[in-house]
Amino acid sequence: MSFSRVGIVGLGLIGGSLAKLIREVFPETHIVGVSRNPSVRDTAVAEGTLSAASSDISALAEMGLVIVATPIDVIVDTVRQLQEILAPSALITDVASVKRDIVAALSASARPSQKEVFSKGLRPLNPVSEAGVQGLASSTLFSGEASGVQGAKTLDHKNIFSEAEPREKALFI
């Protein structure tokens, strides 16, 4: 899976580093950053790290992937704002180290088939040790055997990413 348009909300150490790495590895990618700090935005565009920058999250409306690199306490609100403006085919992820509250808040509005998968063992703090996680496409990211976790099971992800049940809003991963 590749993305020609990537957005990053929060251009601090983590968000800024991700923008630089994406630019280095995928130089043709259109990268748009959102930050409250005008000097950070201006510098990132002037250096060529970002294609464009804004203080307004609506600048990310055309992105295929958005990475949220904000403080943990604003991630849920930021994801909800993004889900209002992004296409249903877009993906949203975050860089937070603590997932339980974020996943709990955002899964409350998930489709029934997504909730069913979460209830079968996917745990936000350590999905590999709980159930194993199969890749988004056909490749395996982790499996019980590959992760070295005894008793780990591969999670059936077909219901989450099924084309038979189109998404109504961008998917938070």
Side-chain angles (χ1 to χ4, degrees), residues 40 44 48 70 117 121 136:
V40 168
T70 63
V117 172
L136 297 180

Side-chain angles (χ1 to χ4, degrees), residues 158-173:
K158 290 182 181 99
N159 286 337
I160 296 177
F161 305 107
S162 172
E163 294 299 323
E165 187 179 347
R167 294 192 302 257
E168 294 175 13
K169 56 187 172 182
L171 179 64
F172 173 75
I173 299 177

Side-chain angles (χ1 to χ4, degrees), residues 74-167:
V74 296
I75 289 176
V76 170
D77 288 338
T78 302
V79 169
R80 287 181 175 148
Q81 288 175 23
L82 288 165
Q83 287 178 321
E84 294 298 318
I85 64 167
L86 292 170
S89 60
L91 298 179
I92 307 167
T93 193
D94 72 309
V95 297
S97 60
V98 179
K99 303 287 187 201
R100 177 167 282 155
D101 291 343
I102 295 167
V103 171
L106 292 170
S107 66
S109 61
R111 291 191 325 239
S113 60
Q114 290 172 318
K115 288 180 185 179
E116 179 183 334
V117 172
F118 285 120
S119 71
K120 288 183 178 178
L122 181 63
R123 299 289 185 263
L125 291 179
N126 193 346
V128 176
S129 66
E130 293 291 333
V133 179
Q134 201 168 40
L136 297 180
S138 59
S139 63
T140 299
L141 296 174
F142 300 101
S143 68
E145 185 177 320
S147 68
V149 178
Q150 290 183 332
K153 299 175 185 171
T154 302
L155 183 67
D156 178 8
H157 67 284
K158 290 182 181 99
N159 286 337
I160 296 177
F161 305 107
S162 172
E163 294 299 323
E165 187 179 347
R167 294 192 302 257

